[in-house]
Amino acid sequence: RQLFVSKSGRGALQRLKSIISGGVELISVNYKRSVKTRKHSEKLVYLSRTYTEPEPPEKTEKHGSGRTSFGRRSLLMLALRVVQLLMEGQNAALQNQVAKAYGGTSVFDQCIRLFLAIQPVLGNNFSNQDSELAVLCIQVVETVSECIQGPNRANQQILLSSNFFAAVNRLLCSITYTPQGSDTASMTGLPLQTNDLKCWLKFSLLGCCIAVFEAV
């Protein structure tokens, strides 16, 4: 943690920011286009290899395997997890560091942008019984929550001045549970049904809302 607070740690934060920024671009430009039809899945897998470790063709062909750009072992997910763990225990110094702008934007800014990119297309993810983008959304929300807990008033102000909570409101309003008995299919990549994942996502969103009120 001391490394990331020091000047020499800026390069590491820049790298994390670059990975998250790449995820924003991938979702905003390519993922929206790909989810319109499952026929575009091969293109998405090709693009995802930029952000994941190489895998034999037979293991990367199937979307939802956990090895695409949004999977639990993807570089994007790991970058978000590293940022979250750095601020574990309400580390104010690192919370301030991730909110510092290097090259125009900060790591915190990119996390907010990533959530804003995910929210409009998340419904397609549930429709396709694919867990990857939903799990990524949960990780983004939990990372953002760590940035503002303490409370860190400066980061809370950054979050409140963005469209983050407007997107949270839209997402909460759009999540509807499938009637019991009809939700039998598990989400691809996780031993969960759709309702389970929606409940997990709602829990994370509400937890982030509660974190804002720590300063009240």
Side-chain angles (χ1 to χ4, degrees), residues 59-73:
K59 291 188 179 181
T60 56
E61 286 175 358
K62 184 178 179 181
H63 181 61
S65 63
R67 289 291 189 175
T68 64
S69 58
F70 315 126
R72 285 171 289 166
R73 289 174 288 179

Side-chain angles (χ1 to χ4, degrees), residues 88-110:
E88 189 98 351
Q90 302 169 0
N91 190 309
L94 281 165
Q95 285 176 330
N96 294 333
Q97 194 74 358
V98 298
K100 285 185 179 179
Y102 299 111
T105 60
S106 67
V107 174
F108 189 40
D109 292 331
Q110 292 301 328

Side-chain angles (χ1 to χ4, degrees), residues 144-182:
V144 169
S145 295
E146 284 290 346
C147 289
I148 63 175
Q149 288 177 357
N152 189 303
R153 296 176 186 273
N155 288 357
Q156 287 181 346
Q157 287 299 320
I158 293 172
L159 195 62
L160 290 169
S161 63
S162 70
N163 293 322
F164 183 86
F165 286 106
V168 167
N169 182 57
R170 289 193 294 270
L171 193 51
L172 286 172
C173 291
S174 68
I175 296 175
T176 55
Y177 294 108
T178 307
Q180 190 174 6
S182 60

Side-chain angles (χ1 to χ4, degrees), residues 1-61:
R1 288 185 174 183
Q2 292 298 323
L3 170 66
F4 282 91
V5 175
S6 65
K7 289 184 178 180
S8 58
R10 290 182 183 178
L13 287 174
Q14 285 277 47
R15 175 59 177 157
L16 290 172
K17 185 181 77 170
S18 176
I19 294 169
I20 298 170
S21 176
V24 174
E25 183 178 354
L26 184 62
I27 293 169
S28 299
V29 178
N30 299 306
Y31 189 75
K32 285 183 180 180
R33 187 182 305 143
S34 298
V35 295
K36 291 179 181 179
T37 172
R38 300 300 288 177
K39 292 180 181 179
H40 291 168
S41 61
E42 291 183 4
K43 180 179 179 181
L44 181 61
V45 171
Y46 171 76
L47 291 167
S48 73
R49 289 173 185 162
T50 308
Y51 298 95
T52 56
E53 58 190 79
E55 282 286 310
E58 64 272 14
K59 291 188 179 181
T60 56
E61 286 175 358

Side-chain angles (χ1 to χ4, degrees), residues 188-204:
T188 303
L190 285 176
L192 295 174
Q193 295 182 345
T194 309
N195 283 347
D196 299 327
L197 196 59
K198 288 178 178 178
C199 186
W200 184 10
L201 177 57
K202 273 191 171 182
F203 184 82
S204 294

